[in-house]
Amino acid sequence: MPHSFTPPSAGDLNYLKSLNRSTVLSTVRRHPGVSRADIALRTGLTKATVGGVVQALVKGGWLREGELHARGGGRPGRSLHLDGERHCMLGAEVGVKGLRLVACNLLGEVLASCHCPAPPTDPESTAVRLAELLVALREEPAVSARHCLGLGVAVPGPVSTRAPILSLAPNLGWVDVDFLALLRREPGLPAGTWLLDNEANAAAFGEFYFFEGVPPESIAYISAGSGIGCGVVSGDHFPVVPRGHQGLVGEIGHTVIQPDGSRCHCGNRGCAETLVSGWALREALDLDSEASLGDAVAARAEEPAVRALIQRAGQALGLLLLNLHHTLNPSMLILGGSLMQLGEPLTGPALDYFTSHQNDLLRQSQSVPVKIIADGTFTAARGVAAEVMARSAIDI
Ligand SMILES: [Zn+2]
């Protein structure tokens, strides 16, 4: 069983069925209200195959039938929608500043959530606390009557590609943590699909998978919080998340942008995180671990040194956007993470830098939208819940 979302492969049991089921689900997700005939037209599957897959998905509580539509003189067909009533997925983010949990339905709608702002300590006690919160979330009235497809956990560091191990979370000081094994010791958690993924990958996956309408061909999501990470997703019916040889794809916070610059938590010098990250800004403002970065910056917004600090951080973020655009050329860039709470003083210089430093190559191409998620409290938790849904659809 893969520990992060991966598309079905020829080694999966019932490979063809998985492929067809995920293709039908993805078509309904992108085009709510389609009929069986529409799905056959859009996917190239035969009407008989679509009919069989839809019947099983309706019976299993994944799809529901809507109103009858007469189309072009042919037989009327019932519209199809994802069923938001019968299943749920649990998603949790172990963040540097706290735990965030959601229960979602198949439409990506958050049914219940919980934000515990106490920073995690060691892995063992964090697993105990997270399990307690997950059990409480599962008992919420909007969640308890549903069938739970499983549980995903997003973590602030790279996850090994060979095993569900958090390799390193520099901003927590955790090394080689098998977090799902710690959670499995705890009672009351749902069975089903269990996944572990890096928080930026999870957030990127969720933004792509639960995109309203047809998602862009590819997106790059920058998670700007205590650290800086990036997730990349592309694909058609099966989102593909490149993870790299050691699961290190997207660790853009540790790309060096100032040779001989300040020392980073990773041990190197001049990483992007030394200029734009929650931890670097907190150190520069001399904040203790309890203080809110957003409140501190708002209270001192008129101080020239603070304004310059945030502006310089914004420019570094813009530089990262530009470098990502050059290296990956995604169809959409998304900025998220807790630093977005700093608002225009941070994002303004970032977008200015991004647009004013585009070279001739980029200027000739169509402009790429940059979406900003102002409140990304649950983006990663919802994203890893999306991964649980996508993997469950393969393994039904
Ligand atoms: Zn670094």
Side-chain angles (χ1 to χ4, degrees), residues 170 251-256 262-274 279:
E251 289 294 321
I252 55 167
H254 301 289
T255 50
V256 176
S262 309
R263 179 76 70 184
C264 177
H265 284 183
C266 73
N268 211 346
R269 283 189 177 277
C271 296
E273 281 196 13
T274 62
W279 68 259

Side-chain angles (χ1 to χ4, degrees), residues 47-341:
K47 284 184 183 175
T49 301
V50 172
V53 171
V54 166
Q55 188 181 14
L57 288 172
V58 169
K59 190 174 170 206
W62 287 73
L63 294 182
R64 67 174 175 82
E65 292 184 302
E67 63 283 15
L68 262 180
H69 280 306
R71 284 173 200 258
R75 276 177 58 196
R78 288 216 176 265
S79 64
L80 293 165
H81 306 264
L82 289 175
D83 189 333
E85 302 299 320
R86 288 171 60 182
H87 296 295
C88 70
M89 303 81 71
L90 302 185
E93 179 189 7
V94 177
V96 175
K97 304 303 290 178
L99 305 175
R100 293 147 179 192
L101 297 80
V102 295
C104 290
N105 66 10
L106 299 189
L107 298 160
E109 294 164 345
V110 173
L111 305 166
S113 64
C114 165
H115 181 193
C116 170
T121 51
D122 60 287
E124 289 77 12
S125 41
T126 301
V128 172
R129 180 70 183 130
L130 183 62
E132 290 168 358
L133 295 171
L134 284 165
V135 169
L137 195 71
R138 184 80 181 90
E139 289 168 357
E140 290 271 334
V143 185
S144 59
R146 292 163 181 267
H147 170 249
C148 186
L149 296 173
L151 159 67
V153 181
V155 286
V159 171
S160 163
T161 51
R162 287 180 291 279
I165 306 283
L166 165 61
S167 311
L168 174 68
N171 297 322
L172 283 179
W174 294 6
V175 181
D176 289 336
V177 175
D178 188 346
F179 196 75
L180 293 185
L182 296 176
L183 270 185
R184 281 205 172 86
R185 296 179 188 168
E186 304 304 315
L189 294 176
T193 302
W194 281 40
L195 300 176
L196 185 79
D197 204 354
N198 165 266
E199 57 89 20
N201 285 343
F205 189 98
E207 290 307 297
F208 187 86
Y209 194 75
F210 288 140
F211 195 88
E212 215 165 293
V214 179
E217 188 183 312
S218 59
I219 64 168
Y221 171 94
I222 294 186
S223 169
S226 291
I228 301 277
C230 168
V232 183
V233 191
S234 62
D236 190 2
H237 296 301
F238 296 104
V240 175
V241 183
R243 297 177 189 280
H245 178 55
Q246 297 164 283
L248 292 172
V249 163
E251 289 294 321
I252 55 167
H254 301 289
T255 50
V256 176
I257 61 174
Q258 266 195 330
D260 305 319
S262 309
R263 179 76 70 184
C264 177
H265 284 183
C266 73
N268 211 346
R269 283 189 177 277
C271 296
E273 281 196 13
T274 62
L275 291 174
V276 56
S277 66
W279 68 259
L281 294 177
R282 299 178 75 85
E283 279 184 17
L285 294 166
D286 201 19
L287 299 182
D288 63 40
S289 61
E290 303 295 313
S292 152
L293 176 63
D295 291 350
V297 170
R300 296 169 59 183
E302 297 308 315
E303 291 180 30
V306 173
R307 291 215 317 249
L309 178 75
I310 303 303
Q311 184 179 30
R312 196 176 59 154
Q315 286 168 345
L317 191 58
L319 188 151
L320 286 178
L321 274 176
L322 190 67
N323 287 347
L324 260 187
H325 194 22
H326 273 294
T327 46
L328 299 172
N329 196 213
S331 320
M332 177 182 272
L333 287 155
I334 303 179
L335 278 176
S338 58
L339 284 192
M340 294 305 110
Q341 69 183 293

